[in-house]
Amino acid sequence: MTILLSTLNARYTHASLGLRYLLANMGALQEQTKIQEFVIGAKTTDLVERILAHAPRIVGFGVYIWNVEETTRLVALLKRVAPQITVVLGGPEVSHETNEQEIVRLADYVITGWGDVTFPKLCGEILNGPKPLMKVHAGVQPPMEDIALPYALYSEDDIAHRTLYVEASRGCPFKCEFCLSSLDKTAWPFPLDSFLAELELLYTQGARLFKFVDRTFNLNIKTSLRIMQFFLDKIEANPDDPVYAHFELVPDHLPDALKETIAKFPPGALQFEIGIQSFNPEVQALVSRRQNNEKAAENIRWLTQESQAHLHVDLIAGLPGEDVESFARGFDKLVGLGAQEIQFGILKRLRGTPIIRHTEPFGMVYDPYPPYTVLATDRIDFAAMQRLVRFARYWDLVANSGRFAHTTPILLGETPFDNFMAFADWMFTKTDATHRIALERLAKLVVEWLQLRGMARQEAEALVASDYAGKGNHHAPTLKHFAETPPEAIKAVAPARQVRHLAA
């Protein structure tokens, strides 16, 4: 084995699509190439030992915002104990502001942008000469039909235990300045027949959970309909063998033909991630986000009322020009639309994104360390931003988790943002923590808060107990029965959190 492809995934269940693309396109070097994935949080010396066990001549690392700090330590140690190994970096984190990064200084070569063609070419030159003199190589973007698809490289273990990432297209035509995809000129589709044939192969091998990473799945409706029909055909042919598909949806583009197809999916088979980010037109204009807010809201309402799809809707706090009050109005509007999950994120200054142009005019202060989260703006000071960060974490624990489906509406009342912010502030005074709060303790704290808001203890305990395992079991006797497992009654391959929302 001559070439090792590696990365540090955020979780074991995340299988790296990027590494598999590289391996699929290695050509004559494929037989000399192997993938070895790790998970963040591992001991660096152990990772180096496992890499060296393969005795590679070249190691290629995929570098992302969530793993750059640990990968930097890994590269530093690897080059110290085995300087003869050539280290090549790629991925979004090192594709921009490249010369400013310590990990780039430590490595031998860096590929910015697309690596499908450029990485194999660079490896061939390193191994066979002439050895490249330039450190940074701009990735060549080939025609989409020339890229070998990687799906046959998902192993039996991947299919059995991990989320399978797939993409029918790359790129994005929109120019939202907080997103790296704003640098793309358009979206480029893969040949659809070839892609569907690969999905068919994965399905026959037992794959049932598919996560599409396309930035704009419903941009081309004809393509969207064919892909969704692929999954509908599987469901209709084998209704007792569920399939789950996740797509990122443009919220204001939902024609009737797509609605008709979406409405055919049973519960637990379909999830849409929908980026709203802000409902404030002035903020949208500042960050070059084109969105028909009225149409987007109408479509979300239709999805929640007329389909069985699970909705994961994104909002971003800390955008230039948006204060807490504006964000709160957007949050309350989304709550009213009924999405099962609202992903409350804090703005991050991703390397290379145009959002940097607003830094001085709007007093944007960012954390210098990954994930480069905004710490303050001219509209939201540091203390207020910290409160929003805590709100987001407790929201995920209580509302998004699906474990408090009956309790959450009571917590939110008529003014969802204000009421949950009061709860978040109180939670922090009680726990001084936003992580590692045991579920049973969290349930007891929710009961205590409900009592502080005027609910009788017995009624509060009964309400929280009714959310036992997301079943809505109003006869669950005590809080100690608040369980981790999703309800068995729902026949679905969907992730546990989505299943709990289904059961509520």
Side-chain angles (χ1 to χ4, degrees):
M1 197 275 297
T2 304
I3 303 165
L4 185 66
L5 300 170
S6 188
T7 195
L8 279 72
N9 296 319
R11 296 181 178 87
Y12 165 74
T13 53
H14 297 179
S16 173
L17 181 60
L19 295 189
R20 287 164 176 78
Y21 264 113
L22 292 179
L23 181 56
N25 288 276
M26 289 301 291
L29 294 174
Q30 190 177 70
E31 291 186 2
Q32 304 173 51
T33 306
K34 183 177 180 180
I35 289 174
Q36 185 173 43
E37 296 174 271
F38 302 113
V39 179
I40 57 174
K43 191 175 180 180
T44 305
T45 50
D46 291 345
L47 302 185
V48 171
E49 183 178 20
R50 292 172 64 185
I51 289 171
L52 294 181
H54 298 285
R57 291 179 60 186
I58 299 172
V59 180
F61 287 106
V63 188
Y64 302 86
I65 194 171
W66 64 81
N67 72 14
V68 61
E69 291 185 310
E70 293 188 32
T71 308
T72 300
R73 292 195 294 271
L74 177 55
V75 171
L77 190 57
L78 181 62
K79 292 299 290 184
R80 181 156 295 193
V81 300
Q84 75 280 5
I85 292 177
T86 300
V87 172
V88 182
L89 307 178
E93 181 64 11
V94 293
S95 290
H96 306 278
E97 304 172 19
T98 306
N99 294 331
E100 302 175 12
Q101 300 184 57
E102 173 67 7
I103 192 171
V104 173
R105 186 190 68 79
L106 293 165
D108 297 287
Y109 298 102
V110 179
I111 295 172
T112 62
W114 298 47
D116 311 88
V117 168
T118 306
F119 181 75
K121 179 176 181 293
L122 178 61
C123 288
E125 293 169 352
I126 293 168
L127 295 172
N128 305 315
K131 191 173 182 180
L133 298 177
M134 298 294 292
K135 183 169 192 168
V136 179
H137 296 253
V140 173
Q141 180 177 336
M144 300 303 285
E145 60 270 18
D146 291 350
I147 300 174
L149 298 179
Y151 305 112
L153 297 174
Y154 281 123
S155 67
E156 290 183 9
D157 189 64
D158 294 333
I159 291 170
H161 302 293
R162 308 175 83 178
T163 299
L164 301 188
Y165 293 93
V166 298
E167 59 178 1
S169 65
R170 288 186 187 174
C172 181
F174 300 111
K175 302 301 176 187
C176 309
E177 296 179 17
F178 48 79
C179 179
L180 266 176
S181 296
S182 65
L183 304 179
D184 298 328
K185 296 178 181 178
T186 184
W188 301 275
F190 285 95
L192 185 55
D193 289 338
S194 300
F195 175 71
L196 290 175
E198 293 293 320
L199 288 192
E200 182 69 41
L201 180 61
L202 284 175
Y203 182 85
T204 59
Q205 292 174 331
R208 296 296 182 268
L209 197 159
F210 299 82
K211 185 166 185 178
F212 282 70
V213 297
D214 303 54
R215 305 302 295 175
T216 50
F217 169 73
N218 57 325
L219 189 64
N220 184 318
I221 297 301
K222 289 183 179 179
T223 298
S224 305
L225 291 174
R226 281 196 63 189
I227 292 172
M228 297 187 83
Q229 191 62 48
F230 170 88
F231 290 107
L232 276 178
D233 289 345
K234 304 305 179 191
I235 292 168
E236 291 170 3
N238 298 285
D240 292 326
D241 187 11
V243 177
Y244 175 84
H246 170 111
F247 303 102
E248 188 165 332
L249 202 68
V250 179
D252 54 4
H253 185 51
L254 204 64
D256 289 341
L258 194 56
K259 286 182 177 179
E260 290 173 10
T261 301
I262 291 169
K264 296 176 182 177
F265 279 82
L270 193 59
Q271 173 167 292
F272 291 128
E273 184 170 346
I274 299 174
I276 291 295
Q277 319 311 2
S278 173
F279 272 120
N280 186 322
E282 294 179 3
V283 174
Q284 291 170 337
L286 277 171
V287 297
S288 306
R289 182 171 180 81
R290 301 198 314 269
Q291 180 172 284
N292 183 326
N293 288 334
E294 184 176 341
K295 194 66 178 177
E298 177 187 320
N299 287 338
I300 292 172
R301 187 178 292 108
W302 182 89
L303 287 166
T304 59
Q305 296 178 356
E306 305 295 333
S307 83
Q308 302 290 341
H310 183 274
L311 303 190
H312 176 128
V313 186
D314 297 335
L315 283 178
I316 297 178
L319 289 169
E322 184 147 60
D323 56 22
V324 173
E325 289 72 23
S326 169
F327 181 85
R329 287 194 297 272
F331 181 88
D332 287 352
K333 184 171 184 175
L334 265 189
V335 170
L337 293 174
Q340 290 90 344
E341 295 187 41
I342 299 174
Q343 186 61 47
F344 179 165
I346 309 296
L347 177 67
K348 298 172 179 60
R349 191 197 76 78
L350 305 180
R351 291 186 184 274
T353 53
I355 196 78
I356 194 171
R357 73 186 182 96
H358 299 297
T359 299
E360 290 187 15
F362 291 92
M364 313 290 287
V365 179
Y366 296 97
D367 190 331
Y369 301 103
Y372 316 117
T373 307
V374 68
L375 301 174
T377 73
D378 65 343
R379 313 294 170 93
I380 305 176
D381 62 23
F382 178 69
M385 197 69 77
Q386 288 297 100
R387 292 179 69 208
L388 290 172
V389 170
R390 292 190 287 269
F391 182 117
R393 175 55 183 163
Y394 295 134
W395 179 260
D396 207 47
L397 288 174
V398 175
N400 284 345
S401 70
R403 298 190 184 282
F404 296 87
H406 298 92
T407 306
T408 298
I410 306 302
L411 286 174
L412 299 182
E414 296 298 318
T415 53
F417 181 88
D418 290 343
N419 286 338
F420 201 86
M421 179 61 84
F423 170 71
D425 289 341
W426 176 82
M427 278 284 293
F428 192 64
T429 64
K430 295 290 288 187
T431 64
D432 196 30
T434 56
H435 291 76
R436 297 182 180 178
I437 301 174
L439 182 58
E440 186 173 347
R441 185 187 182 201
L442 177 61
K444 289 179 178 178
L445 286 166
V446 171
V447 168
E448 186 178 345
W449 172 253
L450 291 171
Q451 291 178 77
L452 289 173
R453 302 294 275 190
M455 186 177 289
R457 177 178 177 178
Q458 187 174 8
E459 183 182 357
E461 287 188 342
L463 175 62
V464 174
S466 75
D467 284 319
Y468 164 62
K471 289 182 181 179
N473 177 8
H474 290 270
H475 302 289
T478 66
L479 293 179
K480 71 180 181 180
H481 293 99
F482 219 78
E484 290 286 351
T485 39
E488 299 290 340
I490 297 293
K491 180 178 280 295
V493 73
R497 188 155 86 169
Q498 284 84 333
V499 174
R500 286 194 291 271
H501 283 290
L502 282 170

